[in-house]
């Protein structure tokens, strides 16, 4: 078997002697690439972001920004990454390198002060710079120093730059306005840009990995069948996809595993199919890939995605991982419960489909058996036409929810024919608001009905008080969320 290695800034670099749990951040810094910084070690600050060549949506390859502090270096075996140092173009002998357009704009517009967070901003900005479907607005201004940079909207520049690309990057010195100015000033990549040209070629195929140092092993098989046989033999193995949860356990809680098995590149877990009666989403597709492939076809998911952590996290996180952790405050379960989704579980003995409403059995516990994987999530069709996702958190973006509420309603001739409500953060598991659903179904979608149902919704679950919110606050927000939905739908109909 070929020795594990990563192509870093165009140069093949052996992973050895790094331990299997070594993060990509530490791997790079140990090799002198110190532009990649550690700020939080849990995927919240973005100082560690790097670019990874991944399968593209509209081109063969997309340059995707990820948190290097969370991804094990072994998970990038055979893959290709670019750090902030690799963006500049080397000059002739005795001359300085030529700055990348993103670096140039950050420099001339004062987007860097202490510089600690700057390389991470640069990499996240570069990923958006190379996004194939980013395009300038016809009425865009030539200079984003003026207020005409707001000609699109507050979160999208006249050059098509989506500021959500920087939602996972934090700065404490410069202030965000000059960074925003730099983002809104970058142009289009030139035809001679090597990283733009690289998008036209396929990314590296996933490497079959068997990387062992000491008593620890990192494994990646080539097929789902091989992976399931391995998990039958090693039911104690830790399964990772984007590693956005396991990476935090390794960094913050010093967790270690004798065996880690990667499933993020298994083709069988990366399919997205739209059938006549359901949509099937592969468990190892990242949230960004799902968002761009569905392109708004599931409005409730489209509302969820911008509120799910940050773009850096969504570039690695998967639905399979989010459901697999069993956390009661995960953002996707309430939405999937409202959509009446089911999970397809598979092991070496076969496959079974379980409604998500029956999947969770206790705090971080589920019906998933040892050696069993989530292969896909199925969403039945047709979709309910009235949907909403309300996330109550201290920050608008990139935060953990205190309460999450998802609604999916069928309302015909003013009568609620069907109601599905998913809740997160109010019980030991994500739950359906069954009493509230029953109170709404068959009743008029009126203020009187909704006010009565809102009182029931306040009593759903067993909310507790913690550092994010009190139990009373959580209950109040449940009721308010239904009142808000009614106000929004009434306003939409009247307008």
């Amino acid at each position: 078997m070929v020795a594990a290695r990563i192509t870093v800034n165009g140069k093949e670099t052996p992973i050895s002697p790094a331990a299997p749990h070594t993060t990509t951040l530490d791997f790079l810094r140990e090799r002198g690439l110190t532009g990649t910084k550690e700020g939080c070690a849990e995927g919240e600050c973005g100082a560690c972001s790097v670019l990874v060549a991944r399968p593209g949506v509209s081109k063969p390859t997309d340059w995707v920004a990820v948190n290097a502090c969370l991804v094990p270096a072994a998970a990038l075996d055979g893959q290709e990454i670019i750090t902030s140092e690799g963006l500049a173009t080397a000059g002739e002998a005795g001359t300085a390198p030529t700055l990348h357009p993103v670096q140039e704009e950050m420099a001339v517009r004062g987007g860097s002060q202490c510089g600690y967070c700057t390389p991470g901003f640069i990499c996240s900005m570069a990923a958006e710079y190379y996004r194939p479907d980013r395009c300038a607005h016809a009425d865009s201004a030539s200079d984003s120093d003026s207020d005409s940079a707001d000609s699109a909207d507050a979160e999208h520049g006249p050059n098509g730059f989506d500021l959500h690309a920087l939602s996972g990057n934090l700065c404490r010195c410069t202030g965000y306005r000059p960074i925003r100015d730099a983002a809104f000033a970058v142009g289009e990549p030139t035809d001679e840009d090597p990283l733009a040209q690289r998008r036209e070629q396929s990314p590296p195929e996933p490497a079959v990995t068997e990387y062992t140092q000491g008593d620890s092993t990192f494994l990646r098989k080539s097929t789902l069948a091989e992976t399931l046989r391995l998990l039958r033999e090693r039911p104690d193995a830790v399964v990772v996809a984007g590693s956005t949860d396991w990476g935090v356990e390794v960094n913050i809680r010093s967790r270690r595993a004798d065996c880690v098995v990667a499933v993020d590149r298994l083709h069988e877990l990366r399919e997205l199919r739209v059938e006549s009666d359901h949509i099937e989403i592969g468990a190892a597709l990242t949230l960004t890939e799902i968002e761009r492939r569905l392109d708004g076809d599931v409005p409730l998911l489209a509302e969820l995605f911008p509120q799910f952590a940050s773009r850096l996290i969504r570039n690695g996180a998967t639905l399979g991982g989010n459901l697999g952790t069993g956390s009661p405050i995960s953002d996707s379960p309430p939405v999937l419960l409202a959509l009446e989704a089911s999970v397809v579980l598979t092991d070496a003995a076969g496959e079974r489909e379980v409604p998500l409403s029956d999947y969770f059995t206790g705090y971080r516990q589920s019906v998933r058996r040892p050696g069993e994987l989530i292969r896909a999530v199925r969403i039945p069709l047709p979709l309910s036409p009235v949907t909403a996702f309300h996330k109550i958190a201290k920050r608008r973006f990139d935060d953990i929810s205190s309460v999450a509420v998802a609604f999916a309603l069928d309302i015909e001739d003013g009568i609620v024919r069907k109601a599905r409500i998913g809740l997160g953060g109010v019980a030991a598991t994500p739950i359906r608001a069954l009493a509230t659903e029953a109170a709404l179904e068959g009743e008029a979608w009126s203020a009187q009905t909704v006010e009565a149902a809102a009182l029931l919704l306040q009593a759903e679950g067993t909310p507790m008080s913690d550092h994010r919110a009190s139990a009373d606050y959580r209950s109040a927000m449940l009721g308010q969320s239904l009142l808000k939905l009614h106000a929004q739908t009434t306003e939409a109909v009247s307008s």
Side-chain angles (χ1 to χ4, degrees):
M1 183 174 291
V2 178
R5 58 186 61 240
I6 307 171
T7 300
V8 181
N9 299 332
K11 180 181 178 181
E12 282 198 348
T13 307
I15 296 175
S16 179
H21 69 265
T22 300
T23 65
T24 303
L25 164 67
D26 289 339
F27 168 80
L28 293 171
R29 292 186 61 81
E30 288 166 2
R31 283 151 184 79
L33 296 170
T34 54
T36 310
K37 301 288 197 294
E38 179 180 300
C40 66
E42 54 185 344
E44 290 193 1
C45 74
C48 65
S49 72
V50 298
L51 298 174
V52 182
R54 290 275 173 81
V57 176
S58 60
K59 287 185 177 291
T61 288
D62 280 346
W63 286 111
V64 176
V66 299
N67 290 296
C69 74
L70 299 179
V71 181
L76 295 175
D77 178 22
Q79 301 300 294
E80 181 179 347
I81 70 174
I82 301 292
T83 70
S84 58
E85 294 92 342
L87 288 170
T89 303
E92 300 293 334
T95 64
T98 301
L99 291 179
H100 186 275
V102 167
Q103 295 171 319
E104 178 72 22
E105 292 296 345
M106 281 285 280
V108 301
R109 296 178 188 276
S112 177
Q113 187 167 318
C114 83
Y116 195 89
C117 70
T118 303
F121 268 99
I122 292 291
C123 286
S124 294
M125 200 178 293
E128 179 67 5
Y129 176 75
Y130 288 114
R131 178 165 60 87
D133 55 351
R134 180 181 68 88
C135 58
H137 297 277
D139 60 347
S140 63
S142 59
D143 189 346
S144 71
D145 283 335
S146 71
D147 289 340
S148 57
D150 297 325
S151 58
D153 62 54
E155 293 169 355
H156 295 82
N159 57 355
F161 193 102
D162 182 0
L163 276 183
H164 283 285
L166 306 181
S167 62
N169 295 84
L170 302 181
C171 174
R172 287 291 180 261
C173 309
T174 305
Y176 292 99
R177 181 56 189 257
I179 296 172
R180 175 179 176 271
D181 289 345
F184 285 1
V186 294
E188 299 292 321
T190 65
D191 293 338
E192 294 76 29
D193 187 325
L195 294 183
Q197 294 174 350
R198 178 65 185 81
R199 299 177 303 180
E200 307 300 330
Q201 305 166 12
S202 297
E205 283 294 316
V208 175
T209 303
E210 187 171 335
Y211 181 69
T212 300
Q213 292 288 329
D215 296 329
S216 300
T217 300
F218 188 98
L219 300 170
R220 173 182 277 112
K221 298 296 185 180
S222 61
T223 68
L224 177 60
E226 290 176 323
T227 303
L228 294 176
R229 286 195 293 270
L230 169 63
L231 293 177
R232 181 171 58 185
E233 299 167 1
R234 295 293 304 267
D236 60 321
V238 171
V239 177
V240 299
S243 202
T244 55
D245 187 75
W246 176 246
V248 176
E249 294 292 314
V250 169
N251 292 337
I252 304 301
R253 298 179 179 87
S254 299
R255 291 276 303 278
R256 301 291 182 263
D258 294 337
C259 180
V260 174
V261 178
V263 299
D264 57 314
R265 311 315 297 167
L266 291 175
H267 293 295
E268 299 94 333
L269 272 61
R270 292 183 46 77
E271 298 178 347
L272 193 154
R273 299 199 308 270
V274 179
E275 307 290 352
S276 61
D277 61 345
H278 71 273
I279 298 172
E280 182 167 301
I281 303 171
L285 286 170
T286 69
L287 300 185
T288 293
E289 290 173 318
I290 299 168
E291 178 183 18
R292 291 178 176 165
R293 292 190 190 187
L294 286 177
D295 194 23
D297 287 344
V298 182
L300 191 50
L301 283 176
E303 194 171 348
L304 160 71
F305 289 136
Q307 301 180 69
F308 190 112
S310 67
R311 176 63 70 191
L312 281 170
I313 293 295
R314 296 196 297 275
N315 286 343
T318 65
L319 284 183
N322 204 227
L323 296 175
T325 64
S327 171
I329 54 173
S330 296
D331 283 340
S332 72
V335 168
L336 295 173
L337 284 168
L339 292 171
E340 296 184 282
S342 59
V343 290
V344 180
L345 301 173
T346 184
D347 62 14
E351 191 169 278
R352 60 185 176 129
E353 183 175 353
V354 178
L356 188 61
S357 55
D358 297 332
Y359 173 76
F360 301 104
T361 58
Y363 179 72
R364 290 189 177 271
Q365 296 177 339
S366 71
V367 299
R368 188 162 54 90
R369 298 186 288 249
E372 201 168 37
L373 287 178
I374 301 174
R375 183 182 66 76
V377 173
R378 286 181 182 158
I379 298 171
L381 297 175
L383 301 171
S384 295
V386 178
T387 60
F389 176 64
H390 297 164
K391 176 173 177 172
I392 294 91
K394 292 184 177 179
R395 296 195 301 262
R396 185 179 175 202
F397 298 114
D398 196 12
D399 200 3
I400 296 172
S401 61
S402 299
V403 180
V405 188
F407 298 97
L409 283 69
D410 291 352
I411 303 174
E412 298 176 5
D413 301 322
I415 303 298
V416 181
R417 306 298 180 186
K418 178 181 173 182
R420 296 293 180 266
I421 305 172
L423 307 179
V426 296
T429 69
I431 60 171
R432 283 259 303 274
L434 297 176
T436 308
E437 292 174 1
L440 289 171
E441 290 182 344
E443 300 295 330
W445 184 240
S446 64
Q448 182 178 4
T449 298
V450 171
E451 287 170 5
L455 293 176
L456 287 175
L457 188 54
Q458 288 185 41
E460 300 272 14
T462 54
M464 59 179 288
S465 296
D466 59 19
H467 65 284
R468 293 190 185 92
S470 68
D472 288 344
Y473 177 81
R474 286 185 162 100
S475 294
M477 289 302 98
L478 290 177
Q480 286 297 315
S481 66
L482 185 56
L483 297 176
K484 178 180 178 180
L485 176 66
H486 180 257
Q488 290 173 330
T489 54
T490 303
E491 180 181 336
V493 170
S494 61
S495 61

